[in-house]
Amino acid sequence: MTEVVELRPEHCEAVLSFFRELPEGDLTFIKEDVTDPDTVRAWTTGGDRWVAVDGEDVLGYVAVLRLPGWSDHVGEVRLAVAPASRGTGLGRQLARHALVAGVQAGLTKLVVEVVAEQGAALALFSELGFSGEALLRDQIRDREGQLRDLMVLAHHVGETWSEMDTIGVAEALGEQG
């Protein structure tokens, strides 16, 4: 049974294994050095990162990172799911968890960066009330040197949450958190 839990020091080795097993293409689009033990250990102190675990195995990771300074009302969502767990609803479960955590933390806006070709990720976040805010052409370079477009999707909590509440989604999301 897969459950989403706060990232703790005892998860570090499993998290490192999870990231090391991701396809090379996935690692291209992750901002941090997720294969560095010191980086992963540092993550266990913030309370803003969670893992999907099945026994001792980590199957997914999600974070809501509050931006600094004048953007401290905004949280950036980062999500990764093991290839074998994609298409199972785990990504949706993690994204919902991040959304609820962000709202509970008092964030008024959540953003996520998605490579424009990642249709499943775009659909997932759109279903949760995120909408396109920016298209950054040729913003990132993959490991083969190809330039890729990056989409920034945003969830404006005040606007979107009230709309979701009207149709009962907010209540359902609250049950997930």
Side-chain angles (χ1 to χ4, degrees):
M1 177 73 181
T2 303
E3 64 177 326
V4 178
V5 297
E6 185 175 337
L7 179 60
R8 300 254 186 231
E10 59 267 21
H11 300 123
C12 286
E13 286 306 314
V15 169
L16 287 165
S17 293
F18 164 77
F19 280 117
R20 288 179 182 139
E21 293 171 11
L22 285 179
E24 194 70 21
D26 287 6
L27 295 175
T28 298
F29 308 115
I30 297 175
K31 294 179 179 181
E32 299 157 298
D33 183 359
V34 295
T35 60
D36 175 49
D38 291 334
T39 297
V40 172
R41 265 193 296 280
W43 290 353
T44 63
T45 60
D48 51 5
R49 298 172 195 262
W50 301 268
V51 288
V53 294
D54 184 3
E56 298 294 314
D57 297 326
V58 170
L59 304 177
Y61 160 87
V62 70
V64 178
L65 307 177
R66 184 181 293 269
L67 298 183
W70 59 23
S71 294
D72 66 356
H73 62 289
V74 179
E76 181 182 355
V77 177
R78 298 185 183 170
L79 175 71
V81 175
S85 297
R86 294 176 188 170
T88 66
L90 181 59
R92 180 171 285 103
Q93 181 183 358
L94 287 167
R96 283 180 171 183
H97 186 89
L99 179 58
V100 170
V103 170
Q104 290 174 341
L107 297 171
T108 59
K109 180 178 179 180
L110 294 165
V111 296
V112 63
E113 296 177 350
V114 179
V115 178
E117 296 91 17
Q118 293 179 323
L122 291 169
L124 166 67
F125 284 103
S126 293
E127 289 170 12
L128 292 176
F130 285 75
S131 59
E133 193 152 276
L135 172 64
L136 306 173
R137 294 186 55 217
D138 296 339
Q139 180 72 12
I140 53 177
R141 185 184 328 267
D142 66 22
R143 294 186 189 254
E144 287 81 44
Q146 296 286 324
L147 296 176
R148 304 278 185 197
D149 295 346
L150 187 69
M151 292 191 66
V152 178
L153 305 177
H155 180 101
H156 296 271
V157 173
E159 299 166 16
T160 311
W161 199 259
S162 64
E163 291 169 15
M164 292 172 71
D165 194 37
T166 301
I167 59 171
V169 174
E171 183 178 307
L173 291 177
E175 293 172 6
Q176 300 289 324

